[in-house]
Structures are given as C-alpha cells and as structure tokens.
C-alpha cells in the first residue's frame, strides 16, 4: 500500500501543471521579444502559481468567453488578441475590457495572449494559414530577424510566402479560400488573367506587406483586412484577396492547442465555442 501511495503521488506530480508552466511553453515557441513594440502579449490577468484545471483557447476575450471558460472547467484562457492592449487606469464596469478583467478576477481565471510574437514566429500563425492552403516551400516574407536567448536562436519575421501544389485560375483560387476559411464572400481586386501559384499571406491586418508580396513575385496576396485605397494600381500585377480579420486567424486556436498538448499531453485544452467576431454580414 505504501508503494501504491508513493506511485499515485508521483503520478499526480507528473500531471500537475501550473499556469506558469503553460506560459513558459508558449513563450518557448514564440518568445515575447518577438512581438511588435506596440503590442502587449503575455500574461494579462491572474496568478501563475495556480494549477491548470483546463485551458480555453480563443482569438478574443470577452465576458462571454470568461463565462464559457468557467462552464467548461478552465481556469486559464489563452487568446491571440490581448484583452488589455492599452494601460488600464481603473477596473470598473465602464467598458467590456474592464468588465471582462473584473469577471476573470472574480472567477479566478487567468488570461494570457500570444499575439504578434506568435504572428512573427517560425511555425506561427501565418505558417498555420499556409498549412490550410497546402502551400509548399513556405518561407518568411519580410522583416527577417534573429533573437537569441537561453533556449536558442529564433528566426522571425512578418508574413509568409509559398507555392500551391498546382497553379489555379484566379476564380478557382478564390473558391479555395472560401472553402478553407468558411467565407461566403471576400474582397478582391480585378481578377488576374495568369494562374495563381506563388502565394503570399499575412493573417489579420497585413496590408503593410502588399509591397513585399509583389517584390517576392507572388501571384496572390491574402490577408484579413485592407484599406480601400490600397486596392488601387495593382490590376494584373497581383491578386489581392481580403477574407476578414477573424476568418484569417481562426486556425490560431488549433496552433495554440498543438503547442500546449505537445508539452502537456494530459492537460485538458478546448477551443472556444463562443463566436467573438464583432463584424456581421447582412
């Protein structure tokens, strides 16, 4: 009986994962220094010494997401977009950010965000998008840098570029995007007459990489949002496809789950069911 008790204690110790352990695993994959200087990735709310009962993975954190985490037995929320993006001067009921912070604290739920550090990491958000398009020879598109810490040397940058397995007519490429990202419509410029094979992409607000996509010889550039005037002047130069910010990054939850489950296969993780896309199509 004594041996059995010792074995059970050892087994429980192995299964015990603290919030700080999960954050370290995520930051090993995408260190916080990889984020852009305007960003606020990392721990947002909560204490990191608590053991993880479960992790809810999402793009955005709202009051409803905190409610879902509680309902599903998760005391950790890992989001792509930071809940606290700008400094809070108080925590009250003045807006959804403050209400969400207050609710999370009340319920003992920690919140962390992996934002532009995960966008910029090798194997990060944009690589996940490329995987869903089955792109080959995927490489960073722009702003290639290296960062070194005790874990090793990281190469990182903005966007990716790769090749489709087979060239597609522009209309067929757009149909591929609709199927893979579950969109009924998207924004595009004039359809190019040549076929699309080399594709550059950036999830979210990636318009700043359009020139890099052209310079990289891409036939198409896919992103989540782009301004009206940025569509001008590229007729037959490159196929622009704007599929929506939320839609472009929807597979980030899968990526977060893969990173966590690789290090903690016995720790419960679940992808959010609450739709947090603030944009509707009517």
């Amino acid at each position: 009986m004594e041996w059995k008790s010792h074995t059970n204690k050892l087994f429980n110790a192995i299964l015990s994962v603290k919030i700080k352990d999960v954050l370290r695993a995520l930051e090993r994959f995408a260190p916080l220094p990889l984020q852009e200087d305007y960003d606020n990735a990392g721990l947002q709310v909560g204490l990191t010494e608590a053991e993880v009962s479960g992790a809810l993975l999402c793009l955005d954190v709202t009051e409803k997401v905190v409610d879902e985490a509680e309902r599903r037995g998760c005391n950790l929320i890992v989001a792509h977009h930071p809940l606290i993006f700008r400094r809070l001067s108080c925590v009250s009921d003045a807006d959804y950010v403050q209400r969400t912070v207050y609710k999370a604290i009340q319920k003992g739920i920690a919140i962390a965000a992996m934002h532009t550090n995960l966008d910029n990491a090798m194997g990060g958000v944009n690589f996940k998008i490329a995987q869903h398009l089955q792109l080959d020879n995927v490489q960073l598109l722009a702003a290639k840098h290296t960062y070194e810490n005790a874990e090793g040397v990281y190469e990182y940058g903005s966007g990716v570029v790769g090749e489709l397995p087979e060239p597609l007519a522009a209309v067929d490429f757009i149909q591929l995007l609709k199927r893979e990202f579950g969109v009924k419509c998207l924004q595009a410029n004039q359809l190019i007459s040549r076929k699309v094979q080399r594709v550059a992409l950036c999830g979210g607000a990636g318009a700043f990489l359009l020139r890099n996509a052209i310079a990289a010889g891409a036939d198409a550039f896919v992103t989540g949002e782009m301004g009206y005037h940025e569509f001008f002047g590229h007729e037959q130069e490159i196929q622009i496809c704007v599929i929506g910010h939320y839609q472009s990054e929807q597979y980030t939850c899968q990526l977060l789950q893969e990173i966590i489950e690789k290090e903690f296969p016995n720790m419960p993780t679940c992808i959010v069911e609450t739709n947090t896309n603030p944009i509707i199509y009517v």
Side-chain angles (χ1 to χ4, degrees):
M1 292 296 292
E2 183 179 344
W3 175 84
K4 185 176 180 180
S5 175
H6 175 74
T7 302
N8 287 340
K9 287 180 181 178
L10 181 61
F11 182 70
N12 290 334
I14 292 171
L15 292 182
S16 175
V17 179
K18 293 185 177 182
I19 288 171
K20 67 180 182 181
D21 299 325
V22 178
L23 298 186
R24 284 172 183 164
L26 290 166
E27 292 170 20
R28 275 194 295 272
F29 185 92
L32 294 182
L34 271 58
Q35 69 183 304
E36 302 296 333
D37 56 10
Y38 59 80
D39 203 4
N40 187 36
L43 180 69
Q44 305 266 289
V45 177
L47 305 177
T48 62
E49 288 293 335
E51 291 185 7
V52 181
S53 61
L56 182 68
L57 314 171
C58 60
L59 285 185
D60 314 283
V61 189
T62 64
E63 292 175 88
K64 288 184 178 180
V65 170
V66 174
D67 290 336
E68 181 179 338
E70 182 184 37
R71 186 175 70 250
R72 300 178 74 174
C74 298
N75 65 346
L76 171 63
I77 296 172
V78 181
H80 182 43
H81 299 138
L83 171 64
I84 303 172
F85 204 83
R86 296 172 181 84
R87 181 178 297 177
L88 293 177
S89 57
C90 70
V91 177
S92 66
D93 61 352
D95 55 45
Y96 92 91
V97 173
Q98 293 183 46
R99 290 193 299 271
T100 304
V101 169
Y102 185 68
K103 178 173 280 193
I105 292 171
Q106 278 187 313
K107 296 181 182 297
I109 296 173
I111 300 172
M114 295 288 116
H115 192 210
T116 54
N117 56 318
L118 193 60
D119 288 331
N120 292 336
M122 292 292 292
V125 174
N126 294 310
F127 286 84
K128 193 65 178 175
I129 298 170
Q131 180 183 331
H132 277 269
L133 289 176
Q134 298 183 349
L135 299 187
D136 297 321
N137 305 316
V138 179
Q139 302 174 354
L140 291 171
L141 177 61
K144 298 174 185 176
H145 304 289
T146 57
Y147 166 74
E148 185 174 1
N149 64 13
E151 303 289 339
V153 179
Y154 296 79
E155 183 181 12
Y156 67 101
S158 305
V160 298
V161 61
E163 286 84 33
L164 292 166
E166 298 291 338
L168 295 174
V171 66
D172 294 325
F173 177 66
I174 288 172
Q175 291 303 315
L176 171 65
L177 290 174
K178 288 182 177 181
R179 288 195 306 273
E180 288 299 318
F181 295 92
V183 296
K184 294 182 179 179
C185 64
L186 54 80
Q187 294 179 312
N189 61 343
Q190 180 187 86
L191 299 190
I192 61 174
S193 56
R194 71 181 187 274
K195 290 193 172 182
V196 173
Q197 184 159 31
R198 188 164 173 81
V199 177
L201 61 86
C202 179
F208 69 100
L209 288 173
L210 177 59
R211 288 291 177 188
N212 299 87
I214 295 168
D219 302 305
F221 177 61
V222 181
T223 191
E225 57 181 273
M226 183 175 287
Y228 172 80
H229 293 284
E230 292 167 307
F231 282 83
F232 281 98
H234 302 295
E235 297 79 9
Q236 298 304 313
E237 182 178 36
I238 191 168
Q239 186 65 65
I240 298 171
C241 298
V242 180
I243 64 176
H245 195 124
Y246 180 93
Q247 291 85 346
S248 70
E249 295 182 331
Q250 62 186 286
Y251 299 119
T252 304
C253 297
Q254 290 181 357
L255 175 61
L256 290 169
Q257 190 171 50
E258 289 166 6
I259 296 168
I260 295 171
E261 289 187 346
K262 183 177 180 180
E263 293 225 21
F264 311 108
N266 296 310
M267 197 194 89
T269 61
C270 48
I271 292 175
V272 73
E273 295 172 350
T274 303
N275 184 342
T276 59
N277 189 357
I279 299 171
I280 63 171
Y281 300 88
V282 294

